[in-house]
């Protein structure tokens, strides 16, 4: 059985992935995950490495790294046990430039942002529109919790269509890790 290790770079990525996992929108279920949870880590840590060594004997491991940039490579220890278990070193899921770009797309403000993008980050631009917005995981989760599964899928599909060109060929978008069932939602 192939196990998956999901490493979420930031708190917002972690919170959004948890929401998607709980709604059964991702291409994997909680029981498919090593530790049955998403890890809020940028790199493999000592505790995670030890747990991989203890539990990977029953199959192969695929690592997904989710974040808004990948300026650093995933550091895999020179440990043949771990290297043999890996299907490939990592699958990158990019949320560039920030998750607030999804909110701007949903609210039809992407073109306005793109006119000023060299001056502001998406979160700063979004805060200009919504002064009470706080760049905290709680605010992001509350925003997406109000959306139906259909709205989330349509939004991720729109992002891929509008922003997919910003991804390198080895980088997936959030839409790419949705389940086939979720992608069929009309």
């Amino acid at each position: 059985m192939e196990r998956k290790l999901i490493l979420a770079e930031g708190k917002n990525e972690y919170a959004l992935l948890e929401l998607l996992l709980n709604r059964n929108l991702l291409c994997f279920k909680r029981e498919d995950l090593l530790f049955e949870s998403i890890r809020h880590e940028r790199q493999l840590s000592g505790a995670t490495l030890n747990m991989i060594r203890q539990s990977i004997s029953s199959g192969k491991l695929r690592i997904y790294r989710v974040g808004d940039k990948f300026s650093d490579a995933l550091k895999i220890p020179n440990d043949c046990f771990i290297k043999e278990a890996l299907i490939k070193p990592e699958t990158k899921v990019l949320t560039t430039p920030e998750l607030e770009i999804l909110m701007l797309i949903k609210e039809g403000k992407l073109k306005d942002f793109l006119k000023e993008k060299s001056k502001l980050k998406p979160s700063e631009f979004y805060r200009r529109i919504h002064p009470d917005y706080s760049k905290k995981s709680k605010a992001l989760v509350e925003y997406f919790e109000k959306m139906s599964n259909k709205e989330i899928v349509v939004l991720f599909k729109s992002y891929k269509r509008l922003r997919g060109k910003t991804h390198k060929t080895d980088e997936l978008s959030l839409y790419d890790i949705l389940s086939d069932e979720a992608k069929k939602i009309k």
Side-chain angles (χ1 to χ4, degrees):
M1 178 174 119
E2 178 183 298
R3 303 300 299 241
K4 292 159 180 66
L5 174 61
I6 313 302
L7 301 175
E9 173 187 76
K11 291 178 184 176
N12 288 345
E13 287 88 357
Y14 174 81
L16 181 58
L17 286 169
E18 277 292 327
L19 182 131
L20 298 172
L21 186 63
N22 291 336
R23 287 191 179 192
N24 295 315
L25 289 174
L26 295 174
C27 63
F28 36 80
K29 305 285 182 226
R30 193 168 293 281
E31 55 270 12
D32 298 331
L33 301 179
L34 196 59
F35 321 118
E36 293 191 6
S37 66
I38 296 166
R39 306 292 287 180
H40 178 212
E41 297 179 27
R42 188 177 186 81
Q43 290 287 340
L44 296 173
S45 70
T48 301
L49 289 171
N50 288 336
M51 291 180 84
I52 291 171
R53 288 182 186 104
Q54 292 171 9
S55 58
I56 205 59
S57 61
S58 61
K60 294 289 187 179
L61 177 66
R62 182 180 303 269
I63 298 175
Y64 290 82
R65 282 178 82 201
V66 182
D68 59 10
K69 63 183 173 203
F70 296 109
S71 54
D72 59 337
L74 180 65
K75 294 178 183 92
I76 299 171
N78 203 7
D79 178 326
C80 10
F81 181 75
I82 291 175
K83 287 189 178 196
E84 287 175 17
L86 295 176
I87 292 172
K88 60 183 189 176
E90 68 182 308
T91 300
K92 298 174 185 172
V93 182
L94 196 65
T95 60
T96 190
E98 295 176 331
L99 289 173
E100 286 82 4
I101 203 83
L102 294 168
M103 299 153 90
L104 293 171
I105 292 170
K106 180 170 186 338
E107 296 177 22
K109 303 291 185 186
L110 181 65
K111 287 182 183 176
D112 297 334
F113 165 70
L114 291 175
K115 291 176 190 172
E116 298 188 42
K117 76 175 185 174
S118 63
K119 300 175 203 164
L120 298 170
K121 293 180 178 183
S123 57
E124 294 166 341
F125 185 84
Y126 191 80
R127 195 172 306 122
R128 183 188 286 172
I129 298 166
H130 302 281
D132 58 332
Y133 174 69
S134 168
K135 189 180 167 91
K136 300 213 184 289
S137 302
K138 182 181 177 192
L140 183 82
V141 168
E142 287 173 356
Y143 187 90
F144 283 95
E145 279 179 338
K146 293 176 186 171
M147 296 172 65
S148 69
N149 287 355
K150 177 181 178 178
E151 289 174 308
I152 290 173
V153 171
V154 168
L155 178 60
F156 288 4
K157 189 173 187 175
S158 295
Y159 170 88
K160 185 171 173 83
R161 184 176 44 81
L162 295 168
R163 304 287 298 160
K165 296 177 199 101
T166 64
H167 293 239
K168 296 177 184 170
T169 55
D170 67 336
E171 297 168 341
L172 303 177
S173 71
L174 289 169
Y175 180 79
D176 297 319
I177 63 168
L178 292 177
S179 69
D180 290 339
E181 295 82 31
K183 290 177 183 176
K184 291 177 188 173
I185 294 174
K186 301 228 186 264

